[in-house]
Structure formats: structure tokens, C-alpha cells
Amino acid sequence: MTTPDARSGTGRPAELFFEDLVPGLTVDLGVVTVDADEMVAFARRFDPQWYHVDPDLAAASRHGGLIASGFYTVSLFMRAYVDHLLSRAAADASPGLEELRWLAPVRAGDRLAVRVDVMGARPSTARPGLGTVSLTGTMLRLGPDDRPEQEVLRTRFRGWFAVRPVEADPAEAETPEAAPTDADQPAVDQPDGGPTAAGPSTVGSSDGDPTESGDSPEAHRPD
């Protein structure tokens, strides 16, 4: 069975892990077309400002017609991000956004090319088994010739992704032969007295590395 750490953001088995999201990587998230009815329905429900919902007032204004709510536009970005990356990657939660900018109005019928760029990646010190990935997302309006005309959205954010699971060594997975029982062993005189001395025990540190008991594990600053 696929473990939770090896599942993608949509619950399917993951094929991309933290180690695959290297700085400099660009992921094409496809092209989305702005649907007029959906755009207005979103604004009526979540952002009913007149230039989003009243076509007459919007047409008479400097906007020249209805424009999309910025939160509708970023929702389109999020859907493309899930469909084309998180559905394949071992994604965990996100610590949040660092920047969200709406750079130009978005209108019904616009075709927007979406992508993310990996800006940085490092193992998480606060959450063992995860890595922190810094990403920049952009949406570009395409012209009739499918060439980019204008950037309409830019966002910077971070995401947590699981590290790739370590494959078990087949040799270690083999069942060892049963150890002989006491009945099979010749009797050995045991000395009387206290417990046998043992070497220093080990305990797991905050990063999962063994340390000798009595030593203080080094403090780590969380992400």
C-alpha cells in the first residue's frame, strides 16, 4: 500500500519528490481560458464589487467592461498548479505566500499561460522527512498567435514536499534463520551478581540522528 508520504496532492501515488524540485526547474502548468459565467458567478459570491458584477457600470468606466476578481484569477492559477504539478508530486501543506500581485486586468475569454519556477529548495529542519521549496508562479495573457502579450499575475510562495522514500534492501528483507533456543545450547554457568555493564546507550536526537545519552542534542532553528 502507498504510504501517505508517497502520495501526491490528489491522493494518487507520487512520482515527483523533494529531490526532483531543483532550483532552476520550470514546470509548464498549461493554458486556462477565462469563462465569463464562472468569472461573474465567483465575483457575485466572493467579491461583488461593481466592476466585477455590473456590466453597464463597468462598460461606462475606465475599465471598459467587466474585469475578473483578482481572487478568481489566483484560483485559476491554483487549479492549474494542482492539475499539473501537485497531482504528481508528494506534496504536503504550504507555509504560505510571500507575494501576490495582480499586474493587469483579466477579462472573459482571455487565454492565460501558467507556469511555476523553482527558486530554492532545502531540507526542513522543523519537519523531518520534508523539504521546503520556494516557488514563483506566473500567468501570462496570450495573443491570437499564442505568443505571450502581458503578465497578469505573479506570486511567490513556499511548499513542503516529502523526500523520496528509501528503497528497502532485498537482502535485509529476507527472513533470517531461527536462532537456536536455550534447549539447544549447552548449559553455561552464570555468575551471581548485579547486571552486566553496558556501553553508553543512544537516543534519537531532534533530527533523528543517534546521540549518546547525557549529551545535549544541538538545537535547530525551525523553518
Side-chain angles (χ1 to χ4, degrees):
M1 186 173 88
T2 304
T3 64
D5 286 346
R7 290 194 180 278
S8 74
T10 55
R12 296 182 297 187
E15 59 185 78
L16 296 174
F17 293 87
F18 166 71
E19 293 85 353
D20 301 308
L21 301 174
V22 296
L25 175 69
T26 295
V27 182
D28 182 356
L29 304 183
V31 175
V32 298
T33 300
V34 180
D35 179 86
D37 292 338
E38 183 181 70
M39 181 184 86
V40 175
F42 180 98
R44 285 176 176 157
R45 174 69 177 85
F46 298 107
D47 189 4
Q49 299 182 79
W50 59 266
Y51 42 83
H52 298 326
V53 299
D54 191 318
D56 294 330
L57 287 178
S61 74
R62 64 181 180 84
H63 300 296
L66 290 177
I67 60 174
S69 164
F71 291 99
Y72 173 69
T73 305
V74 77
S75 295
L76 293 178
F77 169 84
M78 188 67 204
R79 182 56 192 258
Y81 179 48
V82 171
D83 285 349
H84 295 279
L85 181 57
L86 298 188
S87 63
R88 302 166 54 211
D92 202 273
S94 169
L97 297 172
E98 278 122 23
E99 178 186 32
L100 175 59
R101 299 190 64 194
W102 297 297
L103 303 171
V106 171
R107 304 175 189 275
D110 280 352
R111 298 173 62 249
L112 307 176
V114 192
R115 78 180 197 193
V116 291
D117 295 280
V118 178
M119 310 305 293
R122 60 187 176 85
S124 173
T125 57
R127 297 172 64 93
L130 297 179
T132 302
V133 180
S134 299
L135 300 145
T136 295
T138 56
M139 301 182 83
L140 299 165
R141 181 186 294 113
L142 299 179
D145 58 357
D146 286 340
R147 298 176 67 87
E149 286 187 341
Q150 189 174 20
E151 186 177 10
V152 300
L153 179 142
R154 183 186 311 128
T155 180
R156 291 189 300 111
F157 59 101
R158 290 181 294 156
W160 283 319
F161 295 85
V163 300
R164 178 172 280 103
V166 178
E167 296 290 339
D169 187 343
E172 295 180 358
E174 295 179 0
T175 303
E177 295 182 3
T181 64
D182 291 343
D184 297 327
Q185 297 290 338
V188 178
D189 291 335
Q190 297 294 335
D192 295 331
T196 304
S201 61
T202 59
V203 296
S205 72
S206 59
D207 283 340
D209 295 325
T211 60
E212 292 189 358
S213 57
D215 292 343
S216 298
E218 181 182 358
H220 292 272
R221 180 177 57 85
D223 290 339

